[in-house]
Amino acid sequence: MRSKSNTIRTNRAVTTLATLLAGALALTACSSSDDKKGGTESSSTATGSGLDLPKLDGVNLEVAAVWTGQEQKNFKQVLGEFEKRTGAKVTFVPAQDPIINFLGSKIAGGQPPDVAMLPQPGAIKQAVDKKWAKPLGAQAQAELAKNYSQGWQDIGKVDGKQYGVYYKAANKSLIWYNAKAFENAGAKEPKTWQELLTAAQAVYDSGVTPFSVGGADGWTLTDWFENVYLSQAGPEKYDQLAQHKIKWTDPSVKQALTTLAQIWGKKDYVAGGADGALQTEFPASVTQTFTGGDQPKAAMVYEGDFAQVNIGETKAKVGTDAKVFPFPAVGSTAPVVSGGDAAVILKDSKGAQALATFLASPEAATIQAKLGGYLSPNKNVPASAYPNAVQQTIAKALIASGDDFRFDMSDQAPQAFGGTPGKGEWKDLQDFLKNPKDVAGTQAKLEKDAAAAYGSGS
């Protein structure tokens, strides 16, 4: 039920997007002068839409999100622009995962933030079920309708009512690689899973560990699984598993886990081995791939476009030292998995509604697009706002896909299963990374946890 808006998709559409992405990512090298020019071109477009925001002098607002580091810093610049335009004062409240639990304690203490950035459709539904979330007003809805495809509007709805503004998107079907390590190994960008294994072997033979895995963060492992599963089992099965209409003991899950084990279970293919990976948080999994010259801790790291924020903490340049290819086709088509964060109002007020409206506008998204490591589903953000050719082409591909994407499966699940550290799918896949031979045991655990979270064994 939760992923209803994503069910009417076709293999052909997914293939089209994957092909577009593959072609687009061939343009990864781009001169810095072009990048800078792209940034300045966008500003006139962004300010030209004449967004009408109220005067909010004396109004104080709080926005909660789990973002840290550079991502948080960049978002604060967007909030700063809102303050400048309205006179409101906006405070960023750092939240912990799972954000629903964090919000629960805030609400119990009588201090809910005005707006929360929720990273899962499942979390939006929970916030609505608990009567925390407030529907978007007419102005925010009009801004959404103007700037978003129907698919991105629909995943912010619960029971037909609009609650979420998907301010941030992610393309979660990318593998980043150390260009020098690939060059030294004579490895080529793979288009299929078999070619990925061939490239990994070439890298391994050259003396570099093929993969870096941020296993301390269970969500990275769910993302690995989803890409393999979507490509291998197909979109229909993906939607069924996302809604728990088929069990995790299904043969299609067995096939995906067995496929994953070809990398996770191969000796010396994962930096630090399983134990090392389980102690490596996502940011370190990226930075260790792009430090150490031509002897990095690993040659490749799988994750979304947002990995660029972490690459930015190293000396590696995106497009030259750090390159990227679409997640290879495991089955007949390459996967396209998307994620995102939605602004949801918890305290209804003129100020909160104005902030939601601003976050639905191209102006807000353009500010963060220029700062890098960010992708917007807003179709009126100019591609030239993104700071390099890699991000520009990833953004174009996302917008070109229209409604034909699949949203992250674990994000569609109840948070107890798909979004809680040390529990449910996150924990089960961490255990599987530790022991990739135990496919049946992993399936049984996944099914038990899913059945409990979805409230039925079906």
Side-chain angles (χ1 to χ4, degrees):
M1 199 164 68
R2 207 171 260 112
S3 64
K4 190 176 173 191
S5 64
N6 293 330
T7 53
I8 311 159
R9 310 277 185 245
T10 65
N11 264 309
R12 188 180 57 76
V14 174
T15 313
T16 306
L17 178 52
T19 310
L20 174 61
L21 240 188
L25 292 175
L27 304 170
T28 51
C30 173
S31 77
S32 57
S33 61
D34 283 351
D35 295 347
K36 286 181 184 131
K37 192 180 76 180
T40 51
E41 276 173 4
S42 63
S43 55
S44 59
T45 319
T47 52
S49 82
L51 183 68
D52 187 25
L53 293 170
K55 280 276 156 241
L56 297 167
D57 297 309
V59 170
N60 290 300
L61 296 170
E62 285 189 345
V63 182
V66 296
W67 298 330
T68 57
Q70 196 59 46
E71 197 168 28
Q72 182 187 122
K73 220 192 291 187
N74 293 353
F75 182 58
K76 282 180 175 174
Q77 289 198 37
V78 177
L79 298 178
E81 178 64 19
F82 178 78
E83 289 180 325
K84 212 161 72 183
R85 292 193 188 193
T86 61
K89 172 96 182 71
V90 187
T91 305
F92 181 92
V93 178
Q96 289 82 44
D97 261 326
I99 194 167
I100 283 290
N101 296 5
F102 172 84
L103 295 174
S105 50
K106 282 280 188 192
I107 287 162
Q111 292 179 308
D114 298 86
V115 174
M117 307 303 289
L118 299 184
Q120 296 106 358
I124 298 176
K125 186 176 187 312
Q126 278 179 278
V128 172
D129 290 347
K130 290 172 186 286
K131 304 201 172 3
W132 296 348
K134 311 293 182 245
L136 295 180
Q139 198 189 1
Q141 287 193 55
E143 199 60 28
L144 262 185
K146 198 163 64 180
N147 300 317
Y148 287 77
S149 76
Q150 194 60 49
W152 281 104
Q153 291 176 61
D154 287 350
I155 53 172
K157 285 180 182 174
V158 177
D159 299 330
K161 263 192 193 160
Q162 194 77 51
Y163 288 92
V165 169
Y166 269 88
Y167 169 71
K168 182 176 187 287
N171 180 325
K172 290 192 165 192
S173 297
L174 302 170
I175 294 180
W176 298 87
Y177 70 96
N178 184 311
K180 198 77 191 143
F182 256 53
E183 196 185 310
N184 291 347
K188 292 184 172 61
E189 288 190 1
K191 288 189 168 55
T192 66
W193 183 261
Q194 198 46 57
E195 288 174 8
L196 178 66
L197 298 179
T198 303
Q201 188 62 44
V203 166
Y204 174 79
D205 290 343
S206 77
V208 176
T209 304
F211 295 94
S212 176
V213 176
D217 293 313
W219 58 267
T220 64
L221 306 183
T222 68
D223 290 352
W224 264 104
F225 172 82
E226 286 155 12
N227 276 276
V228 169
Y229 189 83
L230 175 58
S231 184
Q232 200 170 53
E236 256 177 75
K237 271 261 201 293
Y238 184 94
D239 292 336
Q240 288 170 353
L241 190 61
Q243 297 164 67
H244 202 222
K245 286 186 172 168
I246 55 173
K247 297 189 177 193
W248 285 80
T249 46
D250 191 82
S252 60
V253 176
K254 177 184 179 179
Q255 192 185 9
L257 291 173
T258 306
T259 302
L260 266 180
Q262 293 177 330
I263 287 174
W264 291 5
K266 193 152 166 90
K267 191 168 159 48
D268 300 328
Y269 258 36
V270 173
D275 289 343
L278 288 167
Q279 286 166 46
T280 304
E281 292 180 342
F282 167 67
S285 75
V286 179
T287 52
Q288 71 181 15
T289 309
F290 299 103
T291 45
D294 63 356
Q295 286 295 306
K297 288 210 173 142
M300 289 177 269
V301 61
Y302 154 70
E303 249 318 332
D305 56 281
F306 47 82
Q308 287 173 98
V309 170
N310 310 97
I311 296 170
E313 291 162 12
T314 73
K315 288 177 182 161
K317 293 274 172 288
V318 170
T320 49
D321 312 311
K323 293 189 176 181
V324 65
F325 55 85
F327 199 98
V330 190
S332 58
T333 58
V336 179
V337 177
S338 187
D341 297 84
V344 174
I345 293 171
L346 302 181
K347 276 165 77 175
D348 200 1
S349 67
K350 188 177 173 183
Q353 289 287 354
L355 181 56
T357 302
F358 180 61
L359 293 176
S361 75
E363 285 96 313
T366 297
I367 294 165
Q368 196 154 345
K370 287 180 183 179
L371 299 170
Y374 166 83
L375 185 63
S376 172
N378 187 317
K379 63 188 179 192
N380 290 320
V381 173
S384 59
Y386 294 92
N388 59 56
V390 174
Q391 278 193 276
Q392 288 168 13
T393 52
I394 291 169
K396 281 180 196 165
L398 181 78
I399 298 306
S401 74
D403 297 341
D404 297 314
F405 59 89
R406 280 300 189 286
F407 206 88
D408 183 301
M409 188 190 292
S410 62
D411 287 354
Q412 296 180 52
Q415 199 143 346
F417 180 64
T420 304
K423 288 187 178 170
E425 192 184 356
W426 290 19
K427 173 74 164 68
D428 297 340
L429 289 178
Q430 285 174 322
D431 291 346
F432 180 64
L433 176 60
K434 209 170 193 170
N435 183 13
K437 289 189 172 73
D438 189 20
V439 173
T442 302
Q443 282 186 271
K445 276 197 287 186
L446 284 161
E447 177 51 33
K448 183 173 179 251
D449 291 338
Y454 282 86
S456 77
S458 62

